[in-house]
Amino acid sequence: MRNGIYTSESPNFDPAYIKIGDPSLINYRKSLDARNPPGGKLSEYVPFYLGPRSPMLYQIALGYEDITKYQQEDIVYIISSFDQVKSHNLVYFFTDGNARSETTTAYVSESDFALLDWDTIYNTYWKSDETDLLRKQKKQSELLIKDHLPVSCIDYIGVFNNTAKQNVLHLLKEVDLNIPIKVSPTKLYYDNL
């Protein structure tokens, strides 16, 4: 965390970082081409969901479909903003759905944020049905940062409860960082599991 977040492809990647989520999807991204420009593979980007309470977090919290289960208390949100990305001149692209999906469109122009389905991205209900067959996919819209997100781009860290906050405060102190922490069990996490 001291130096920000690097992709797993980087020689600066933190070996203590714990990958959570679907390992097959993480590996699959290594073979998928990213939008060009900026180009490369999806695994060369630090991915951020554009909204909270993602379907993947739900699967992780339940240990669903052979995904390793982690308590929500042990998962932190790293919150940044597009303003930070711009001010640091980071290379990026963003999507209107899960970046691995063939039906997802990728964008690089800031004006194209208006094309995203923000109601779905921020909604707590994301199951696809006959009214919106792509709802779950759109919920997983992403901002992908090429190679590295500097620590100076982190606006705050979101945690599930005060125990998690104390744990994160301890870790930040060890690396001499002062990043705001917000306890947000109902906005970011699943409070009804």
Side-chain angles (χ1 to χ4, degrees):
M1 179 64 91
R2 176 183 295 128
N3 300 312
I5 303 171
Y6 287 89
T7 67
S8 60
E9 308 294 313
S10 170
N12 297 314
F13 181 70
D14 181 356
Y17 177 82
I18 299 171
K19 294 178 185 179
I20 62 173
D22 185 335
S24 66
L25 293 178
I26 293 168
N27 286 330
Y28 183 56
R29 284 180 172 237
K30 292 178 181 178
S31 66
L32 290 177
D33 292 328
R35 186 203 191 280
N36 192 14
K41 299 292 183 188
L42 282 183
S43 60
E44 297 170 18
Y45 291 80
V46 179
F48 289 90
Y49 286 122
L50 294 175
R53 298 168 62 116
S54 72
M56 183 55 69
L57 175 62
Y58 185 76
Q59 290 179 300
I60 293 165
L62 293 179
Y64 186 68
E65 293 184 345
D66 296 326
I67 294 173
T68 301
K69 180 178 181 175
Y70 289 93
Q71 297 301 314
Q72 292 185 99
E73 180 179 285
D74 296 331
I75 299 169
V76 300
Y77 273 82
I78 304 295
I79 309 295
S80 187
S81 66
F82 188 66
D83 287 340
Q84 290 281 19
V85 171
K86 288 190 312 184
S87 70
H88 286 77
N89 294 312
L90 301 178
V91 176
Y92 70 90
F93 71 97
F94 60 96
T95 65
D96 63 1
N98 188 306
R100 71 173 172 81
S101 174
E102 292 181 13
T103 58
T104 290
T105 302
Y107 305 94
V108 292
S109 175
E110 181 178 359
S111 63
D112 288 332
F113 274 115
L115 301 174
L116 303 186
D117 184 346
W118 291 102
D119 289 338
T120 296
I121 291 169
Y122 276 91
N123 203 325
T124 57
Y125 178 80
W126 44 260
K127 186 176 181 184
S128 298
D129 61 25
E130 63 279 350
T131 64
D132 188 346
L133 298 175
L134 298 177
R135 184 179 291 123
K136 182 178 177 182
Q137 178 181 316
K138 293 187 292 187
K139 172 70 175 162
Q140 298 176 83
S141 296
E142 300 177 62
L143 174 65
L144 297 108
I145 310 298
K146 181 77 169 166
D147 299 322
H148 173 240
L149 182 84
V151 71
S152 55
C153 286
I154 298 173
D155 291 331
Y156 69 93
I157 296 174
V159 297
F160 185 66
N161 58 26
N162 283 319
T163 300
K165 180 178 181 178
Q166 292 306 312
N167 291 337
V168 172
L169 281 170
H170 175 75
L171 293 172
L172 292 176
K173 185 176 180 182
E174 284 183 355
V175 292
D176 197 29
L177 287 176
N178 184 17
I179 300 171
I181 301 170
K182 295 183 181 180
V183 176
S184 189
T186 57
K187 182 179 178 187
L188 298 176
Y189 295 89
Y190 289 92
D191 56 333
N192 58 351
L193 293 180

